[in-house]
Structures are given as structure tokens and as C-alpha cells.
Amino acid sequence: MKQIRMSILLIATCMLLCACPDNNESEHRYITILNQSDKAIVWQPQMIRNGEKYEQFDCRKILGGLINRDSLYKFNYDDRENTWEVGLNNHYLQIIVMEAETFDKYIDEPCDTIRKYVPVLHTYQLTLEDLQQMNWMVVYPPGE
């Protein structure tokens, strides 16, 4: 009877240990974007190859979304197989921030109209090292 109880306890312990999620601190799937401004913002992420430069809003790419004032958004890395550490190996992440209210007025207009009338409030160009230093949190507006 004692052997059966020990066997059941051993099996239960193994099942519990195997069921625990892998919590690898060196791999990140999310970047948190925090809007500390007094207005809602929209943002557009773009992965850009190292050495290339691209700073304007790209109408062919999807917006990252709306972030209300004093709110945060968790931005997931698109590839289920990889993490930001892999994705940013030969790239940097560009995040373009625009005011949501102004963008909404021109959302159905051609791209050149959007570029003309919706100002870019800030452009982040973040490397893997930048994100690690920021503890994977991008704050808008940027601090000193």
C-alpha cells in the first residue's frame, strides 16, 4: 500500500512539474506600449532591416491600433514560432505615433492626404538592445 501511495505521489509530482509553463525570461513575445499623454494615439509598427531608413507612415501596412490616454497595449510578436529577440536579429522596430482624433478624420483619404494632414507625433527606431534597456516597455511621450 505504501508503494502505491509513493508511486501516485511521484506521478502527480511529475505531472505538476511538466504542466508548468516555460517562463524563460530571456525570450520576449510582447512589447508593452504605454500612452501617458492626454490624448488617444494610433501607432504603426514596421520591422526595418538594419542599415535601411524609413520614417513615414506606410498606407499599405496595418496600424498597430488605438491606445487611449493613460492606457497601455501589449504588442505581440507576429510569428508564433519566434520571439522579439529572433525578429530583431537583423532588423530594428520602428513605431510611428500619430494623434488618433486627427487620423480618424482622414482615415478614408488617400495616403498622400494622410501624410500631409496627419502629423507624426514621434518616431521610435528601437533595436533589441534599446528594448532590453527599456524593459520591453515603450512610453509615449518619450522621457528625457
Side-chain angles (χ1 to χ4, degrees):
M1 186 68 172
K2 192 173 184 178
Q3 285 182 336
I4 293 173
R5 190 180 329 175
M6 286 299 281
S7 296
I8 292 173
L9 183 60
L10 182 62
I11 291 170
T13 303
C14 288
M15 289 175 67
L16 283 172
L17 291 174
C18 292
C20 290
D22 184 16
N23 199 7
N24 190 345
E25 292 290 324
S26 67
E27 295 179 345
H28 294 85
R29 303 229 10 104
Y30 296 95
I31 295 171
T32 302
I33 301 173
L34 176 63
N35 178 12
Q36 290 185 328
S37 73
D38 60 348
K39 295 183 178 186
I41 59 172
V42 293
W43 57 283
Q44 182 181 60
Q46 297 180 55
M47 294 290 280
I48 299 174
R49 188 173 304 280
N50 288 342
E52 293 180 9
K53 197 155 182 116
Y54 193 83
E55 295 182 18
Q56 64 182 1
F57 175 71
D58 188 347
C59 293
R60 297 168 296 163
K61 299 212 181 231
I62 297 173
L63 280 178
L66 170 76
I67 306 174
N68 289 316
R69 64 187 199 98
D70 291 322
S71 297
L72 59 87
Y73 180 88
K74 285 203 167 229
F75 178 35
N76 186 20
Y77 187 71
D78 284 340
D79 185 351
R80 290 185 178 189
E81 301 292 321
N82 290 316
T83 61
W84 283 106
E85 286 83 356
V86 174
L88 291 171
N89 187 21
N90 293 320
H91 292 79
Y92 65 91
L93 174 65
Q94 176 173 282
I95 298 175
I96 295 174
V97 178
M98 297 168 285
E99 184 183 303
E101 187 176 337
T102 308
F103 184 81
D104 286 345
K105 289 179 188 176
Y106 296 99
I107 194 166
D108 294 324
E109 298 296 325
C111 195
D112 58 341
T113 304
I114 293 172
R115 286 186 185 136
K116 182 175 181 180
Y117 292 108
V118 182
V120 171
L121 300 174
H122 191 75
T123 302
Y124 295 90
Q125 294 180 334
L126 304 167
T127 64
L128 176 60
E129 293 78 23
D130 294 332
L131 288 164
Q132 289 169 336
Q133 286 178 349
M134 299 164 82
N135 200 23
W136 300 93
M137 180 174 288
V138 178
V139 179
Y140 177 81
E144 301 286 322

